[in-house]
Amino acid sequence: MKALVLSGGAGTRLRPITHTSAKQLVPVANKAVLFYGLESIAEAGITDVGMIVGETAEEIEEAVGDGSKFGLDVTYIPQERPLGLAHAVLIARDYLGDDDFVMYLGDNFIVGGITGLVDEFRAHRPDAQILLTRVADPRAFGVAELDPSGQVIGLEEKPDQPKSDLALVGVYMFTPLIHEAVRAIEPSWRGELEITHAIQHLIDSRADVRSTVIKGYWKDTGNVGDMLEVNRTVLEAMERRIDGEVDDASETIGRVVLEEGARIVNSRVVGPVVIGSGTVVSNSYVGPFTSVAENCRITDSELEFSIVLRDSSIQGVGRIEASLIGRHVEVTPAPSVPSAHRLVLGDHSKVQITS
């Protein structure tokens, strides 16, 4: 069994971060989202991985390499434009051959991995196995309709009036029959080859399409709010580890991970928090659900429920929360200016101004 990992796409919902970085490499608890998926694939006993890459291919290849650090053998498959999930399967045909495969969206996050799901697929080997989860607003997802027995009878991509609250999770398992389906469909109104249409083709052809409703945590980390929520979830599972330096004037409380080479000076850190190597926190407060990457400076500031990427500094700005701060960023106070009111008033006006 092989894996097909999708790591293309422009990541428009995470801009401006993704103007200069691949969305799959934005870190959660100081580790790229993509790496969690690759680790899950390796844990499931899959070693051969085809990785779909687009305009951020160079950055993805530099981060992942040949895959050996994950116990994988990675082959890169270029996609000129993101033309849909089914298009990714189409261009990976030669690599996948006649093998079964799991397709994993590189910006998705599933707590607990996929080992049990892959084992179930291997044991029963349906033509397709999809994962579903209940969501509050299914209009932003592919949506599945099940009959009373739980059999998949229909799929829709981002419907205006969803027939259920069951959204497709970004992990799919297929036999080679899917290759016939992706060749049979036409582009959608979005101009993309939709994987939901390909799976619907299998259903219409009376292929064996099964579903599993997962109860664990899943997120598509496509926007800042979801990134922060995933960061919170990962940090909650971390164990306390202090490998860096904490001076006598500082206090660390709860699940704090301080990497080697990091320093806490005259500050208070309340976990769950992870602070990367080379980072210095001085005269500051870092609160729960915060990740600070390597070589950052947090000075005379407060930071909570946020992600700070490497080589950035936050100095003297009071409190920051629910924020995603990119690489090589400088956050400083604005220069003080005299307070003044600028008015253009017509005749016979009456104005009240609070000083």
Side-chain angles (χ1 to χ4, degrees), residues 101-115:
F101 66 98
V102 54
M103 183 168 74
Y104 198 116
L105 275 58
D107 59 353
N108 276 226
F109 185 90
I110 299 177
V111 170
I114 60 171
T115 299

Side-chain angles (χ1 to χ4, degrees), residues 182-199:
V182 298
R183 289 194 301 269
I185 62 174
E186 298 292 333
S188 67
W189 62 270
R190 302 193 301 169
E192 298 186 1
L193 291 176
E194 310 284 1
I195 198 66
T196 48
H197 293 178
I199 299 170

Side-chain angles (χ1 to χ4, degrees), residues 109-130:
F109 185 90
I110 299 177
V111 170
I114 60 171
T115 299
L117 300 165
V118 170
D119 289 345
E120 180 183 351
F121 176 79
R122 283 172 162 152
H124 301 286
R125 202 168 176 264
D127 297 307
Q129 179 89 24
I130 60 175

Side-chain angles (χ1 to χ4, degrees), residues 81-93:
R81 288 186 297 147
L83 296 175
L85 304 187
H87 181 259
V89 176
L90 192 67
I91 65 173
R93 179 69 177 93

Side-chain angles (χ1 to χ4, degrees), residues 70-351:
F70 303 99
L72 303 171
D73 182 7
V74 172
T75 299
Y76 293 97
I77 304 168
Q79 184 182 38
E80 291 185 6
R81 288 186 297 147
L83 296 175
L85 304 187
H87 181 259
V89 176
L90 192 67
I91 65 173
R93 179 69 177 93
D94 290 343
Y95 173 78
L96 294 169
D98 292 327
D99 292 313
D100 296 348
F101 66 98
V102 54
M103 183 168 74
Y104 198 116
L105 275 58
D107 59 353
N108 276 226
F109 185 90
I110 299 177
V111 170
I114 60 171
T115 299
L117 300 165
V118 170
D119 289 345
E120 180 183 351
F121 176 79
R122 283 172 162 152
H124 301 286
R125 202 168 176 264
D127 297 307
Q129 179 89 24
I130 60 175
L131 308 186
L132 306 173
T133 190
R134 298 191 183 278
V135 296
D137 184 3
R139 292 175 297 175
F141 304 94
V143 177
E145 182 184 6
L146 308 183
D147 68 13
S149 69
Q151 182 67 35
V152 184
I153 57 175
L155 298 174
E156 295 180 284
E157 187 64 34
K158 298 180 173 61
D160 290 331
Q161 296 182 321
K163 295 179 180 177
S164 80
D165 61 352
L166 292 170
L168 274 77
V169 175
V171 178
Y172 310 78
M173 282 157 277
F174 298 115
T175 66
L177 192 61
I178 191 64
H179 297 299
E180 175 187 323
V182 298
R183 289 194 301 269
I185 62 174
E186 298 292 333
S188 67
W189 62 270
R190 302 193 301 169
E192 298 186 1
L193 291 176
E194 310 284 1
I195 198 66
T196 48
H197 293 178
I199 299 170
Q200 184 66 53
H201 179 83
L202 293 178
I203 295 170
D204 294 342
S205 303
R206 300 189 180 279
D208 185 6
V209 177
R210 303 186 188 183
S211 67
T212 300
V213 179
I214 64 172
K215 295 181 174 59
Y217 185 87
W218 163 78
K219 275 289 185 183
D220 170 2
T221 59
N223 60 51
V224 173
D226 288 339
M227 287 292 305
L228 293 173
E229 283 300 321
V230 172
N231 194 61
R232 175 202 292 264
T233 300
V234 175
L235 289 176
E236 284 179 333
M238 283 189 159
E239 298 294 331
R240 179 181 173 89
R241 176 168 53 85
I242 305 295
D243 293 333
E245 300 177 19
V246 181
D247 74 358
D248 293 340
S250 297
E251 183 181 27
T252 61
I253 300 172
R255 295 189 298 277
V256 175
V257 175
L258 188 65
E259 300 290 356
E260 186 175 356
R263 292 191 295 130
I264 308 295
V265 180
N266 192 36
S267 297
R268 188 167 187 258
V269 179
V270 179
V273 165
V274 58
I275 297 175
S277 62
T279 287
V280 179
V281 178
S282 59
N283 303 311
S284 295
Y285 165 78
V286 179
F289 312 117
T290 300
S291 298
V292 183
E294 65 270 21
N295 300 320
C296 292
R297 295 291 181 271
I298 312 296
T299 307
D300 298 321
S301 300
E302 296 185 6
L303 184 65
E304 189 166 304
F305 188 46
S306 294
I307 299 172
V308 181
L309 276 59
R310 60 180 174 84
D311 301 305
S312 291
S313 66
I314 299 172
Q315 301 186 38
V317 293
R319 186 174 181 84
I320 293 175
E321 60 183 31
S323 299
L324 174 58
I325 296 172
R327 301 173 295 181
H328 300 281
V329 169
E330 294 183 8
V331 182
T332 58
S336 59
V337 295
S339 177
H341 302 284
R342 184 169 183 256
L343 306 175
V344 178
L345 302 176
D347 296 346
H348 308 293
S349 297
K350 292 184 179 181
V351 178

